[in-house]
Amino acid sequence: MGDIIHLLPDHIANQIAAGEVIQRPASVVKELMENAVDAGAAHITVNIKDAGRTLVQVIDDGKGMSETDARMAFERHATSKIADVQDIFSLRTMGFRGEALASIAAVAQVELRTRLKGTDVGTKLSISGSTLDAIEPDACREGSVFSVKNLFYNVPARRKFLKPNETEFRHILTEFERVALVCPQIDFSLYHNDTETFRLPVSGLRQRIVNVFGKKLNQTLLTLDAPNSIARIEGFIGQVSAVKRKGALNYFFVNGRFMKHPYFHSAIMRAYESLVPADEKPDYFIYLTPEPSTIDVNIHPTKTEIKFENEGPIWQILAAAVREALGKANAVPSIDFDTEGAIEIPVYRPGREQAPPSVRTDPSYNPFHHTPARPTYNGSDWEKLYRGFEQDRTLPPDSSTASFPETPLPSEGGGTLFPETTRPCFQYKCRYIITLLKSGLVLIDQRRAHIRILYDRYLSNVRRHKSVSQQLLFPEIIECTASEAAILPALTDELQGFGFDLSPLGNNSYSINGMPAGVQERNPSTLLRELLNNAMEAGGAVGERATETLALSLAKAAAIHPGKTLTLEEMESMVGALFSSEANRLTPDGKPIMSLLTDDELAKRFKIQ
């Protein structure tokens, strides 16, 4: 048998390496923007066509490159930032491994026009699939213009797996925001299909955050500042009143680089844990500046994961700093001792005599001969007490009629429930419904059951075009973030199908004129944001999948919560509607709705050993 191991050709090796670095158009945007920042640019413009499929262009006014540097920049592991292995542990730049441009050139058609500052003539270079097509002098502006066309044109399998344009552009927005949030000293612009999406002028850090995510955020941010000898910690955290179930803005930056760090996230959540519900999260923008020698950024191809030498101490400092910021904003309740019954300590005044405290006693009191008087009641007193009790009885405030479908219970022949004349239902701890089956007892989670019922109803109404919209007396204006505005047009038809009435106002703002019937008690803007965030978490689904995602989100928003007192009629209606559903054992997201306790299990529990 002959030798079978051989070296891969460079163009194949580059395509394989590109799979680690260039996953989608957003990866190209990230790498080119970071290169522009490293080049010392003061203005960076990003042009996108067809969510990056057709064109990703980054224009900067940085230092530019010579002809030799321009050609060398596309070689693998070519870099200007590392000369010795020790340089890896003193880096303050965004990129350093020299893989980005080589990976991009392996899977796209790239054109670079660049001119070194202080020179008269620049260079134009064209590469397709790692092959140099042309290099020639060019009368271009100082700085660099990278144009990446037809991404994955030579790797059809990779191009086929790209998501819809709305999803890919949302990923581009995410990478753009991560770079812009850490460089407020740079002017950024983003255009998609020749339409301006972002225009971020030079500003302070707080103003940059507000410019990216909207003016409303400015009212909820608290300043965080914790200088120390290990790592400077600064930034902003959200107020307790502004926590969210979905779409919380969580950002860590280390030495100008975006980072994901679940351990440090737990430090922030620890500071909030006694102040907010367990399923809600605050916004935060945390900037850490440790010594480069105490961190390792070379553990992930995209450099979004970083190792810290002093992880434990930073965790403690971060948690304490967040707690202090919340305390300064009176978010943490102060200690308020109960002074009732406490001894009053008089104020000391020099030269003034203080009378000794006096104690009052009853010298005639004998505990062994004292018999306390007992109240006596006669029959007439009890009758007066309970007179009219049943007539004046009212339901608790939280037991208002819930919105359940008027569905009769299945009969004995068509289902497993008892006949209508003997259909006992009991509510346990205002959370579970207990009812009888032929084979035993069944416990039903009332919220999950209601979610399943509403989900089926919403889908049925949408498919039959029978959804009801409740018009608002006063339309509400919602200012969407760029990510929300990017996905909203793709969901317009689905939202209208559920009963939303939206009117675009420009500048990523919309007027909410109507809402689906049954959710009027929810804040329109909050509900719409939840739906958009759920759609984004589902990967920007469209069509039937988007309809199902929105139906589930609406069902969760409208369903009753644990602690809701139900009347017998409401319980019977819910049980009947649930057992009429074809999928009544699980919620749409796979959580169990009911638990059956069979007669055999009951018998085993009472069996004598």
Side-chain angles (χ1 to χ4, degrees), residues 82 100 173 270 287 318 322 375 399 419 425 427 470 483 504 581 584:
I82 299 176
L173 285 172
R270 176 68 63 86
Y287 297 80
L318 180 59
V322 173
S399 61
C425 290
Q427 190 179 26
Q470 181 69 43
S483 298
S581 172
N584 54 26

Side-chain angles (χ1 to χ4, degrees), residues 81-96 255 257 290-298:
K81 298 159 186 174
I82 299 176
D84 186 82
V85 68
Q86 297 301 323
D87 294 340
I88 297 176
F89 302 102
S90 59
L91 288 167
R92 292 188 180 272
T93 55
M94 305 287 269
F96 57 90
N255 288 349
R257 188 191 308 274
E291 281 297 320
S293 59
T294 63
I295 61 175
D296 184 1
V297 299
N298 195 32

Side-chain angles (χ1 to χ4, degrees), residues 238-474:
Q239 295 178 0
V240 172
S241 59
V243 294
K244 308 170 185 174
R245 280 196 177 92
K246 298 283 186 179
L249 304 171
N250 297 156
Y251 289 89
F252 279 111
F253 301 96
V254 179
N255 288 349
R257 188 191 308 274
F258 172 78
M259 171 195 70
K260 298 176 182 177
H261 209 295
Y263 184 55
F264 289 164
H265 173 77
S266 69
I268 295 177
M269 297 310 298
R270 176 68 63 86
Y272 279 89
E273 67 178 354
S274 61
L275 305 172
V276 302
D279 59 344
E280 295 188 350
K281 298 178 182 178
D283 297 328
Y284 61 76
F285 304 85
I286 307 297
Y287 297 80
L288 293 90
T289 312
E291 281 297 320
S293 59
T294 63
I295 61 175
D296 184 1
V297 299
N298 195 32
I299 63 172
H300 193 275
T302 59
K303 301 183 284 292
T304 56
E305 298 177 11
I306 297 176
K307 281 186 178 179
F308 285 77
E309 182 181 308
N310 301 305
E311 221 170 48
I314 292 177
W315 190 99
Q316 297 174 350
I317 296 170
L318 180 59
V322 173
R323 190 76 178 176
E324 180 184 7
L326 292 173
K328 289 180 178 178
N330 295 324
V332 179
S334 58
I335 299 176
D336 186 13
F337 295 102
D338 186 3
T339 57
E340 184 178 355
I343 300 175
E344 182 179 355
I345 301 176
V347 179
Y348 172 71
R349 300 182 186 279
R352 179 180 176 183
E353 290 188 11
Q354 299 293 339
S358 60
V359 179
R360 296 182 180 181
T361 60
D362 183 4
S364 64
Y365 175 74
N366 187 340
F368 299 101
H369 295 89
H370 181 70
T371 302
R374 299 191 178 195
T376 58
Y377 302 98
N378 53 42
S380 59
D381 291 332
W382 287 108
E383 291 175 1
K384 290 179 181 179
L385 178 63
Y386 285 97
R387 186 174 299 161
F389 178 75
E390 290 296 330
Q391 290 82 350
D392 297 337
R393 184 183 174 196
T394 58
L395 292 174
D398 63 345
S399 61
S400 56
T401 303
S403 175
F404 303 126
E406 296 296 333
T407 306
L409 287 172
S411 63
E412 176 114 24
T416 55
L417 287 175
F418 282 90
E420 190 170 346
T421 54
T422 57
R423 53 183 188 197
C425 290
F426 308 95
Q427 190 179 26
Y428 179 65
K429 291 191 174 180
C430 296
R431 180 168 184 174
Y432 304 101
I433 298 173
I434 304 174
T435 191
L436 304 179
L437 301 179
K438 283 185 176 181
S439 56
L441 292 174
V442 63
L443 283 76
I444 301 171
D445 186 303
Q446 65 185 38
R447 171 167 170 80
R448 293 181 181 178
H450 201 195
I451 289 174
R452 165 53 70 180
I453 295 166
L454 292 176
Y455 175 81
D456 292 343
R457 185 201 298 177
Y458 287 143
L459 283 185
S460 175
N461 289 343
V462 168
R463 289 164 181 165
R464 293 184 299 160
H465 304 287
K466 290 189 175 181
S467 297
V468 179
S469 177
Q470 181 69 43
Q471 293 296 303
L472 300 180
L473 184 60
F474 300 102

Side-chain angles (χ1 to χ4, degrees), residues 437-443 594-609:
L437 301 179
K438 283 185 176 181
S439 56
L441 292 174
V442 63
L443 283 76
M594 62 180 75
S595 177
L596 178 64
L597 185 61
T598 64
D599 292 341
D600 292 339
E601 290 174 330
L602 282 171
K604 289 179 182 179
R605 291 176 182 270
F606 291 98
K607 185 177 180 180
I608 300 176
Q609 301 295 333

Side-chain angles (χ1 to χ4, degrees), residues 135-169:
I135 182 168
E136 57 189 10
D138 188 68
C140 58
R141 55 183 288 181
E142 290 184 347
S144 299
V145 179
F146 281 91
S147 300
V148 179
K149 304 174 184 177
N150 302 321
L151 187 63
F152 301 131
Y153 80 100
N154 56 347
V155 192
R158 294 283 302 280
R159 191 175 179 92
K160 180 178 66 175
F161 284 103
L162 291 178
K163 301 296 182 182
N165 282 0
E166 293 79 12
T167 304
E168 294 298 341
F169 184 59

Side-chain angles (χ1 to χ4, degrees), residues 121-137:
V121 180
T123 303
K124 180 180 179 182
L125 180 146
S126 300
I127 296 180
S128 299
S130 297
T131 301
L132 179 63
D133 293 334
I135 182 168
E136 57 189 10

